[in-house]
mmCIF file of all heavy atoms in Angstrom:
data_model
loop_
_atom_site.group_PDB
_atom_site.id
_atom_site.type_symbol
_atom_site.label_atom_id
_atom_site.label_comp_id
_atom_site.label_asym_id
_atom_site.label_seq_id
_atom_site.Cartn_x
_atom_site.Cartn_y
_atom_site.Cartn_z
ATOM 1 N N GLY A 32 5.903 48.181 46.810
ATOM 2 C CA GLY A 32 4.968 48.859 45.915
ATOM 3 C C GLY A 32 5.563 49.267 44.588
ATOM 4 O O GLY A 32 4.845 49.413 43.590
ATOM 5 N N GLY A 33 6.874 49.445 44.511
ATOM 6 C CA GLY A 33 7.500 49.835 43.256
ATOM 7 C C GLY A 33 7.869 48.690 42.349
ATOM 8 O O GLY A 33 8.298 48.913 41.202
ATOM 9 N N HIS A 34 7.713 47.446 42.837
ATOM 10 C CA HIS A 34 8.058 46.292 41.991
ATOM 11 C C HIS A 34 7.164 46.271 40.757
ATOM 12 O O HIS A 34 5.944 46.408 40.849
ATOM 13 C CB HIS A 34 7.895 44.995 42.780
ATOM 14 C CG HIS A 34 8.263 43.766 41.991
ATOM 15 N ND1 HIS A 34 9.562 43.379 41.804
ATOM 16 C CD2 HIS A 34 7.491 42.858 41.339
ATOM 17 C CE1 HIS A 34 9.581 42.283 41.065
ATOM 18 N NE2 HIS A 34 8.325 41.942 40.778
ATOM 19 N N VAL A 35 7.772 46.096 39.600
ATOM 20 C CA VAL A 35 7.050 46.197 38.331
ATOM 21 C C VAL A 35 6.587 44.815 37.864
ATOM 22 O O VAL A 35 7.354 43.841 37.863
ATOM 23 C CB VAL A 35 7.928 46.852 37.250
ATOM 24 C CG1 VAL A 35 7.230 46.811 35.889
ATOM 25 C CG2 VAL A 35 8.236 48.298 37.639
ATOM 26 N N ILE A 36 5.336 44.744 37.474
ATOM 27 C CA ILE A 36 4.724 43.530 36.921
ATOM 28 C C ILE A 36 4.431 43.782 35.443
ATOM 29 O O ILE A 36 3.870 44.820 35.075
ATOM 30 C CB ILE A 36 3.423 43.178 37.665
ATOM 31 C CG1 ILE A 36 3.715 42.818 39.129
ATOM 32 C CG2 ILE A 36 2.675 42.041 36.956
ATOM 33 C CD1 ILE A 36 4.540 41.565 39.313
ATOM 34 N N THR A 37 4.810 42.824 34.595
ATOM 35 C CA THR A 37 4.606 42.999 33.150
ATOM 36 C C THR A 37 3.618 42.005 32.553
ATOM 37 O O THR A 37 3.356 42.053 31.350
ATOM 38 C CB THR A 37 5.948 42.865 32.409
ATOM 39 O OG1 THR A 37 6.490 41.556 32.648
ATOM 40 C CG2 THR A 37 6.931 43.926 32.879
ATOM 41 N N GLY A 38 3.076 41.110 33.374
ATOM 42 C CA GLY A 38 2.135 40.154 32.813
ATOM 43 C C GLY A 38 1.497 39.286 33.878
ATOM 44 O O GLY A 38 1.834 39.357 35.069
ATOM 45 N N LEU A 39 0.564 38.461 33.444
ATOM 46 C CA LEU A 39 -0.165 37.539 34.295
ATOM 47 C C LEU A 39 0.237 36.115 33.945
ATOM 48 O O LEU A 39 0.510 35.812 32.782
ATOM 49 C CB LEU A 39 -1.676 37.710 34.101
ATOM 50 C CG LEU A 39 -2.219 39.126 34.253
ATOM 51 C CD1 LEU A 39 -3.707 39.155 33.895
ATOM 52 C CD2 LEU A 39 -1.997 39.647 35.661
ATOM 53 N N ALA A 40 0.260 35.238 34.945
ATOM 54 C CA ALA A 40 0.650 33.853 34.678
ATOM 55 C C ALA A 40 0.114 32.942 35.769
ATOM 56 O O ALA A 40 -0.271 33.383 36.854
ATOM 57 C CB ALA A 40 2.175 33.730 34.593
ATOM 58 N N SER A 41 0.094 31.642 35.470
ATOM 59 C CA SER A 41 -0.289 30.645 36.460
ATOM 60 C C SER A 41 0.852 30.448 37.449
ATOM 61 O O SER A 41 1.997 30.847 37.198
ATOM 62 C CB SER A 41 -0.619 29.324 35.768
ATOM 63 O OG SER A 41 0.509 28.860 35.023
ATOM 64 N N LEU A 42 0.548 29.813 38.570
ATOM 65 C CA LEU A 42 1.545 29.602 39.621
ATOM 66 C C LEU A 42 2.799 28.908 39.088
ATOM 67 O O LEU A 42 3.930 29.289 39.419
ATOM 68 C CB LEU A 42 0.945 28.768 40.743
ATOM 69 C CG LEU A 42 -0.040 29.460 41.680
ATOM 70 C CD1 LEU A 42 -0.812 28.418 42.478
ATOM 71 C CD2 LEU A 42 0.677 30.433 42.614
ATOM 72 N N ASP A 43 2.610 27.877 38.261
ATOM 73 C CA ASP A 43 3.749 27.066 37.833
ATOM 74 C C ASP A 43 4.551 27.695 36.704
ATOM 75 O O ASP A 43 5.675 27.264 36.434
ATOM 76 C CB ASP A 43 3.281 25.660 37.431
ATOM 77 C CG ASP A 43 2.263 25.682 36.312
ATOM 78 O OD1 ASP A 43 1.564 26.701 36.151
ATOM 79 O OD2 ASP A 43 2.153 24.674 35.587
ATOM 80 N N GLU A 44 3.999 28.698 36.030
ATOM 81 C CA GLU A 44 4.717 29.302 34.910
ATOM 82 C C GLU A 44 5.137 30.743 35.182
ATOM 83 O O GLU A 44 5.844 31.342 34.377
ATOM 84 C CB GLU A 44 3.856 29.267 33.647
ATOM 85 C CG GLU A 44 3.594 27.850 33.142
ATOM 86 C CD GLU A 44 2.914 27.840 31.784
ATOM 87 O OE1 GLU A 44 2.375 28.895 31.380
ATOM 88 O OE2 GLU A 44 2.933 26.781 31.131
ATOM 89 N N ALA A 45 4.744 31.294 36.310
ATOM 90 C CA ALA A 45 5.037 32.694 36.606
ATOM 91 C C ALA A 45 6.514 32.897 36.923
ATOM 92 O O ALA A 45 7.176 32.029 37.509
ATOM 93 C CB ALA A 45 4.178 33.171 37.772
ATOM 94 N N GLY A 46 7.021 34.068 36.530
ATOM 95 C CA GLY A 46 8.367 34.494 36.878
ATOM 96 C C GLY A 46 8.322 35.748 37.729
ATOM 97 O O GLY A 46 7.244 36.219 38.115
ATOM 98 N N PRO A 47 9.475 36.337 38.030
ATOM 99 C CA PRO A 47 9.523 37.506 38.922
ATOM 100 C C PRO A 47 8.739 38.722 38.430
ATOM 101 O O PRO A 47 8.397 39.584 39.244
ATOM 102 C CB PRO A 47 11.025 37.809 38.995
ATOM 103 C CG PRO A 47 11.694 36.520 38.666
ATOM 104 C CD PRO A 47 10.809 35.860 37.653
ATOM 105 N N MET A 48 8.445 38.791 37.142
ATOM 106 C CA MET A 48 7.722 39.934 36.601
ATOM 107 C C MET A 48 6.231 39.646 36.421
ATOM 108 O O MET A 48 5.509 40.435 35.809
ATOM 109 C CB MET A 48 8.321 40.355 35.255
ATOM 110 C CG MET A 48 9.825 40.590 35.300
ATOM 111 S SD MET A 48 10.268 41.964 36.377
ATOM 112 C CE MET A 48 9.835 43.349 35.337
ATOM 113 N N HIS A 49 5.771 38.509 36.951
ATOM 114 C CA HIS A 49 4.381 38.098 36.753
ATOM 115 C C HIS A 49 3.571 38.199 38.040
ATOM 116 O O HIS A 49 4.087 37.987 39.139
ATOM 117 C CB HIS A 49 4.304 36.648 36.252
ATOM 118 C CG HIS A 49 4.767 36.472 34.856
ATOM 119 N ND1 HIS A 49 5.710 35.537 34.504
ATOM 120 C CD2 HIS A 49 4.436 37.126 33.710
ATOM 121 C CE1 HIS A 49 5.921 35.593 33.202
ATOM 122 N NE2 HIS A 49 5.168 36.554 32.702
ATOM 123 N N LEU A 50 2.274 38.463 37.860
ATOM 124 C CA LEU A 50 1.287 38.367 38.928
ATOM 125 C C LEU A 50 0.527 37.061 38.766
ATOM 126 O O LEU A 50 0.123 36.694 37.651
ATOM 127 C CB LEU A 50 0.304 39.538 38.857
ATOM 128 C CG LEU A 50 -0.887 39.490 39.822
ATOM 129 C CD1 LEU A 50 -0.424 39.711 41.258
ATOM 130 C CD2 LEU A 50 -1.940 40.532 39.429
ATOM 131 N N THR A 51 0.300 36.350 39.852
ATOM 132 C CA THR A 51 -0.485 35.129 39.837
ATOM 133 C C THR A 51 -1.541 35.204 40.936
ATOM 134 O O THR A 51 -1.729 36.256 41.565
ATOM 135 C CB THR A 51 0.421 33.898 39.998
ATOM 136 O OG1 THR A 51 -0.338 32.707 39.761
ATOM 137 C CG2 THR A 51 1.051 33.855 41.380
ATOM 138 N N PHE A 52 -2.247 34.094 41.172
ATOM 139 C CA PHE A 52 -3.248 34.057 42.242
ATOM 140 C C PHE A 52 -3.276 32.660 42.852
ATOM 141 O O PHE A 52 -2.850 31.682 42.237
ATOM 142 C CB PHE A 52 -4.638 34.447 41.728
ATOM 143 C CG PHE A 52 -5.280 33.374 40.888
ATOM 144 C CD1 PHE A 52 -6.177 32.469 41.452
ATOM 145 C CD2 PHE A 52 -4.988 33.254 39.537
ATOM 146 C CE1 PHE A 52 -6.763 31.464 40.685
ATOM 147 C CE2 PHE A 52 -5.554 32.250 38.765
ATOM 148 C CZ PHE A 52 -6.446 31.361 39.339
ATOM 149 N N PHE A 53 -3.828 32.578 44.075
ATOM 150 C CA PHE A 53 -3.981 31.284 44.742
ATOM 151 C C PHE A 53 -5.276 31.307 45.540
ATOM 152 O O PHE A 53 -5.495 32.195 46.364
ATOM 153 C CB PHE A 53 -2.804 31.014 45.682
ATOM 154 C CG PHE A 53 -2.930 29.733 46.456
ATOM 155 C CD1 PHE A 53 -2.636 28.519 45.861
ATOM 156 C CD2 PHE A 53 -3.358 29.737 47.782
ATOM 157 C CE1 PHE A 53 -2.759 27.327 46.566
ATOM 158 C CE2 PHE A 53 -3.481 28.553 48.500
ATOM 159 C CZ PHE A 53 -3.181 27.350 47.887
ATOM 160 N N ASP A 54 -6.131 30.292 45.291
ATOM 161 C CA ASP A 54 -7.354 30.184 46.100
ATOM 162 C C ASP A 54 -7.843 28.751 46.232
ATOM 163 O O ASP A 54 -9.003 28.514 46.560
ATOM 164 C CB ASP A 54 -8.465 31.075 45.528
ATOM 165 C CG ASP A 54 -8.975 30.601 44.176
ATOM 166 O OD1 ASP A 54 -8.358 29.670 43.594
ATOM 167 O OD2 ASP A 54 -9.984 31.162 43.697
ATOM 168 N N ASN A 55 -6.942 27.775 45.986
ATOM 169 C CA ASN A 55 -7.355 26.376 46.045
ATOM 170 C C ASN A 55 -6.198 25.544 46.597
ATOM 171 O O ASN A 55 -5.110 25.503 46.002
ATOM 172 C CB ASN A 55 -7.741 25.890 44.638
ATOM 173 C CG ASN A 55 -8.383 24.520 44.652
ATOM 174 O OD1 ASN A 55 -8.122 23.714 45.535
ATOM 175 N ND2 ASN A 55 -9.221 24.249 43.655
ATOM 176 N N LEU A 56 -6.425 24.857 47.714
ATOM 177 C CA LEU A 56 -5.365 24.065 48.346
ATOM 178 C C LEU A 56 -4.851 22.945 47.454
ATOM 179 O O LEU A 56 -3.743 22.417 47.685
ATOM 180 C CB LEU A 56 -5.882 23.485 49.668
ATOM 181 C CG LEU A 56 -5.989 24.472 50.835
ATOM 182 C CD1 LEU A 56 -6.643 23.806 52.033
ATOM 183 C CD2 LEU A 56 -4.607 25.010 51.200
ATOM 184 N N LYS A 57 -5.586 22.591 46.444
ATOM 185 C CA LYS A 57 -5.128 21.579 45.496
ATOM 186 C C LYS A 57 -3.797 21.982 44.867
ATOM 187 O O LYS A 57 -3.004 21.133 44.465
ATOM 188 C CB LYS A 57 -6.200 21.366 44.422
ATOM 189 C CG LYS A 57 -5.845 20.370 43.348
ATOM 190 C CD LYS A 57 -6.970 20.229 42.350
ATOM 191 C CE LYS A 57 -6.616 19.251 41.233
ATOM 192 N NZ LYS A 57 -7.705 19.124 40.238
ATOM 193 N N TYR A 58 -3.561 23.298 44.796
ATOM 194 C CA TYR A 58 -2.344 23.796 44.145
ATOM 195 C C TYR A 58 -1.331 24.321 45.160
ATOM 196 O O TYR A 58 -0.491 25.152 44.829
ATOM 197 C CB TYR A 58 -2.717 24.888 43.145
ATOM 198 C CG TYR A 58 -3.676 24.395 42.080
ATOM 199 C CD1 TYR A 58 -5.041 24.678 42.149
ATOM 200 C CD2 TYR A 58 -3.220 23.613 41.025
ATOM 201 C CE1 TYR A 58 -5.916 24.201 41.199
ATOM 202 C CE2 TYR A 58 -4.087 23.128 40.071
ATOM 203 C CZ TYR A 58 -5.432 23.426 40.159
ATOM 204 O OH TYR A 58 -6.293 22.947 39.212
ATOM 205 N N ALA A 59 -1.383 23.799 46.383
ATOM 206 C CA ALA A 59 -0.478 24.274 47.430
ATOM 207 C C ALA A 59 0.983 24.010 47.086
ATOM 208 O O ALA A 59 1.862 24.837 47.361
ATOM 209 C CB ALA A 59 -0.832 23.610 48.761
ATOM 210 N N ASP A 60 1.286 22.861 46.483
ATOM 211 C CA ASP A 60 2.666 22.560 46.104
ATOM 212 C C ASP A 60 3.176 23.528 45.039
ATOM 213 O O ASP A 60 4.350 23.930 45.066
ATOM 214 C CB ASP A 60 2.778 21.123 45.599
ATOM 215 C CG ASP A 60 2.616 20.099 46.713
ATOM 216 O OD1 ASP A 60 2.750 20.481 47.892
ATOM 217 O OD2 ASP A 60 2.331 18.928 46.399
ATOM 218 N N GLU A 61 2.293 23.909 44.104
ATOM 219 C CA GLU A 61 2.698 24.871 43.078
ATOM 220 C C GLU A 61 2.933 26.246 43.699
ATOM 221 O O GLU A 61 3.823 26.989 43.261
ATOM 222 C CB GLU A 61 1.641 24.951 41.981
ATOM 223 C CG GLU A 61 1.536 23.666 41.156
ATOM 224 C CD GLU A 61 0.528 23.782 40.030
ATOM 225 O OE1 GLU A 61 0.049 24.906 39.756
ATOM 226 O OE2 GLU A 61 0.216 22.742 39.411
ATOM 227 N N LEU A 62 2.154 26.591 44.720
ATOM 228 C CA LEU A 62 2.380 27.861 45.408
ATOM 229 C C LEU A 62 3.755 27.865 46.075
ATOM 230 O O LEU A 62 4.496 28.858 45.993
ATOM 231 C CB LEU A 62 1.286 28.099 46.443
ATOM 232 C CG LEU A 62 1.437 29.370 47.293
ATOM 233 C CD1 LEU A 62 1.353 30.616 46.428
ATOM 234 C CD2 LEU A 62 0.379 29.417 48.392
ATOM 235 N N LYS A 63 4.119 26.769 46.724
ATOM 236 C CA LYS A 63 5.411 26.698 47.401
ATOM 237 C C LYS A 63 6.572 26.870 46.422
ATOM 238 O O LYS A 63 7.607 27.444 46.767
ATOM 239 C CB LYS A 63 5.552 25.362 48.126
ATOM 240 C CG LYS A 63 4.634 25.193 49.316
ATOM 241 C CD LYS A 63 4.808 23.815 49.942
ATOM 242 C CE LYS A 63 3.848 23.614 51.101
ATOM 243 N NZ LYS A 63 3.970 22.250 51.694
ATOM 244 N N ALA A 64 6.379 26.364 45.191
ATOM 245 C CA ALA A 64 7.466 26.368 44.212
ATOM 246 C C ALA A 64 7.421 27.560 43.261
ATOM 247 O O ALA A 64 8.325 27.724 42.439
ATOM 248 C CB ALA A 64 7.427 25.073 43.401
ATOM 249 N N THR A 65 6.402 28.404 43.357
ATOM 250 C CA THR A 65 6.250 29.463 42.364
ATOM 251 C C THR A 65 7.401 30.470 42.426
ATOM 252 O O THR A 65 7.960 30.735 43.494
ATOM 253 C CB THR A 65 4.897 30.182 42.538
ATOM 254 O OG1 THR A 65 4.695 31.054 41.412
ATOM 255 C CG2 THR A 65 4.866 31.011 43.819
ATOM 256 N N LYS A 66 7.709 31.011 41.264
ATOM 257 C CA LYS A 66 8.726 32.063 41.141
ATOM 258 C C LYS A 66 8.083 33.417 40.839
ATOM 259 O O LYS A 66 8.750 34.355 40.406
ATOM 260 C CB LYS A 66 9.722 31.701 40.046
ATOM 261 C CG LYS A 66 10.532 30.438 40.342
ATOM 262 C CD LYS A 66 11.478 30.128 39.199
ATOM 263 C CE LYS A 66 12.402 28.966 39.552
ATOM 264 N NZ LYS A 66 11.686 27.706 39.791
ATOM 265 N N ALA A 67 6.780 33.513 41.071
ATOM 266 C CA ALA A 67 6.049 34.739 40.755
ATOM 267 C C ALA A 67 6.560 35.922 41.561
ATOM 268 O O ALA A 67 7.071 35.766 42.680
ATOM 269 C CB ALA A 67 4.558 34.531 41.024
ATOM 270 N N GLY A 68 6.372 37.113 40.987
ATOM 271 C CA GLY A 68 6.729 38.318 41.703
ATOM 272 C C GLY A 68 5.688 38.714 42.727
ATOM 273 O O GLY A 68 6.013 39.319 43.752
ATOM 274 N N ALA A 69 4.426 38.378 42.466
ATOM 275 C CA ALA A 69 3.345 38.756 43.375
ATOM 276 C C ALA A 69 2.200 37.781 43.219
ATOM 277 O O ALA A 69 2.033 37.145 42.163
ATOM 278 C CB ALA A 69 2.876 40.181 43.100
ATOM 279 N N CYS A 70 1.380 37.683 44.274
ATOM 280 C CA CYS A 70 0.275 36.730 44.275
ATOM 281 C C CYS A 70 -0.938 37.340 44.961
ATOM 282 O O CYS A 70 -0.837 37.858 46.080
ATOM 283 C CB CYS A 70 0.699 35.455 45.000
ATOM 284 S SG CYS A 70 -0.563 34.159 45.040
ATOM 285 N N LEU A 71 -2.070 37.287 44.289
ATOM 286 C CA LEU A 71 -3.346 37.626 44.903
ATOM 287 C C LEU A 71 -3.812 36.430 45.728
ATOM 288 O O LEU A 71 -3.886 35.304 45.216
ATOM 289 C CB LEU A 71 -4.378 37.949 43.824
ATOM 290 C CG LEU A 71 -4.182 39.267 43.073
ATOM 291 C CD1 LEU A 71 -4.873 39.216 41.716
ATOM 292 C CD2 LEU A 71 -4.723 40.437 43.892
ATOM 293 N N VAL A 72 -4.124 36.653 46.991
ATOM 294 C CA VAL A 72 -4.456 35.546 47.872
ATOM 295 C C VAL A 72 -5.390 36.041 48.972
ATOM 296 O O VAL A 72 -5.350 37.211 49.361
ATOM 297 C CB VAL A 72 -3.159 34.940 48.472
ATOM 298 C CG1 VAL A 72 -2.425 35.961 49.326
ATOM 299 C CG2 VAL A 72 -3.429 33.660 49.239
ATOM 300 N N SER A 73 -6.236 35.153 49.471
ATOM 301 C CA SER A 73 -7.153 35.514 50.545
ATOM 302 C C SER A 73 -6.412 35.505 51.880
ATOM 303 O O SER A 73 -5.357 34.864 52.029
ATOM 304 C CB SER A 73 -8.324 34.531 50.589
ATOM 305 O OG SER A 73 -7.874 33.264 51.003
ATOM 306 N N PRO A 74 -6.947 36.199 52.884
ATOM 307 C CA PRO A 74 -6.300 36.182 54.210
ATOM 308 C C PRO A 74 -6.109 34.782 54.753
ATOM 309 O O PRO A 74 -5.136 34.502 55.458
ATOM 310 C CB PRO A 74 -7.271 36.995 55.073
ATOM 311 C CG PRO A 74 -7.992 37.888 54.111
ATOM 312 C CD PRO A 74 -8.122 37.099 52.842
ATOM 313 N N ARG A 75 -7.006 33.878 54.388
ATOM 314 C CA ARG A 75 -6.934 32.498 54.900
ATOM 315 C C ARG A 75 -5.633 31.800 54.505
ATOM 316 O O ARG A 75 -5.097 30.994 55.255
ATOM 317 C CB ARG A 75 -8.141 31.724 54.366
ATOM 318 C CG ARG A 75 -8.172 30.263 54.742
ATOM 319 C CD ARG A 75 -9.338 29.582 54.057
ATOM 320 N NE ARG A 75 -9.342 28.150 54.300
ATOM 321 C CZ ARG A 75 -10.109 27.285 53.642
ATOM 322 N NH1 ARG A 75 -10.942 27.729 52.711
ATOM 323 N NH2 ARG A 75 -10.058 25.999 53.913
ATOM 324 N N PHE A 76 -5.105 32.113 53.309
ATOM 325 C CA PHE A 76 -3.957 31.373 52.783
ATOM 326 C C PHE A 76 -2.681 32.210 52.677
ATOM 327 O O PHE A 76 -1.663 31.699 52.217
ATOM 328 C CB PHE A 76 -4.282 30.811 51.395
ATOM 329 C CG PHE A 76 -5.409 29.819 51.372
ATOM 330 C CD1 PHE A 76 -6.447 29.955 50.452
ATOM 331 C CD2 PHE A 76 -5.441 28.754 52.255
ATOM 332 C CE1 PHE A 76 -7.491 29.035 50.421
ATOM 333 C CE2 PHE A 76 -6.479 27.834 52.237
ATOM 334 C CZ PHE A 76 -7.506 27.976 51.319
ATOM 335 N N GLU A 77 -2.715 33.470 53.071
ATOM 336 C CA GLU A 77 -1.563 34.332 52.786
ATOM 337 C C GLU A 77 -0.289 33.870 53.480
ATOM 338 O O GLU A 77 0.813 34.097 52.973
ATOM 339 C CB GLU A 77 -1.881 35.779 53.137
ATOM 340 C CG GLU A 77 -2.049 36.070 54.619
ATOM 341 C CD GLU A 77 -2.242 37.565 54.861
ATOM 342 O OE1 GLU A 77 -3.404 38.016 54.818
ATOM 343 O OE2 GLU A 77 -1.232 38.261 55.061
ATOM 344 N N LYS A 78 -0.390 33.198 54.616
ATOM 345 C CA LYS A 78 0.805 32.733 55.317
ATOM 346 C C LYS A 78 1.529 31.631 54.544
ATOM 347 O O LYS A 78 2.701 31.327 54.827
ATOM 348 C CB LYS A 78 0.433 32.216 56.706
ATOM 349 C CG LYS A 78 -0.181 33.263 57.628
ATOM 350 C CD LYS A 78 0.773 34.418 57.886
ATOM 351 C CE LYS A 78 0.165 35.409 58.876
ATOM 352 N NZ LYS A 78 1.045 36.574 59.095
ATOM 353 N N GLN A 79 0.853 31.017 53.576
ATOM 354 C CA GLN A 79 1.478 29.952 52.795
ATOM 355 C C GLN A 79 2.272 30.477 51.603
ATOM 356 O O GLN A 79 2.959 29.706 50.931
ATOM 357 C CB GLN A 79 0.406 28.974 52.302
ATOM 358 C CG GLN A 79 -0.368 28.307 53.426
ATOM 359 C CD GLN A 79 -1.299 27.231 52.917
ATOM 360 O OE1 GLN A 79 -0.997 26.529 51.963
ATOM 361 N NE2 GLN A 79 -2.454 27.099 53.571
ATOM 362 N N VAL A 80 2.173 31.768 51.335
ATOM 363 C CA VAL A 80 2.889 32.344 50.198
ATOM 364 C C VAL A 80 4.379 32.444 50.542
ATOM 365 O O VAL A 80 4.745 32.940 51.613
ATOM 366 C CB VAL A 80 2.322 33.730 49.853
ATOM 367 C CG1 VAL A 80 3.108 34.354 48.698
ATOM 368 C CG2 VAL A 80 0.840 33.619 49.501
#
Side-chain angles (χ1 to χ4, degrees):
H34 181 79
V35 174
I36 295 295
T37 60
L39 307 174
S41 59
L42 285 165
D43 59 335
E44 294 188 344
M48 307 296 283
H49 289 128
L50 173 70
T51 189
F52 74 96
F53 177 79
D54 68 351
N55 189 332
L56 285 174
K57 178 180 178 181
Y58 301 101
D60 289 342
E61 292 183 10
L62 177 64
K63 291 178 182 178
T65 190
K66 296 179 173 63
C70 182
L71 289 157
V72 63
S73 68
R75 177 185 175 192
F76 297 131
E77 68 175 88
K78 298 299 183 183
Q79 300 187 35
V80 178

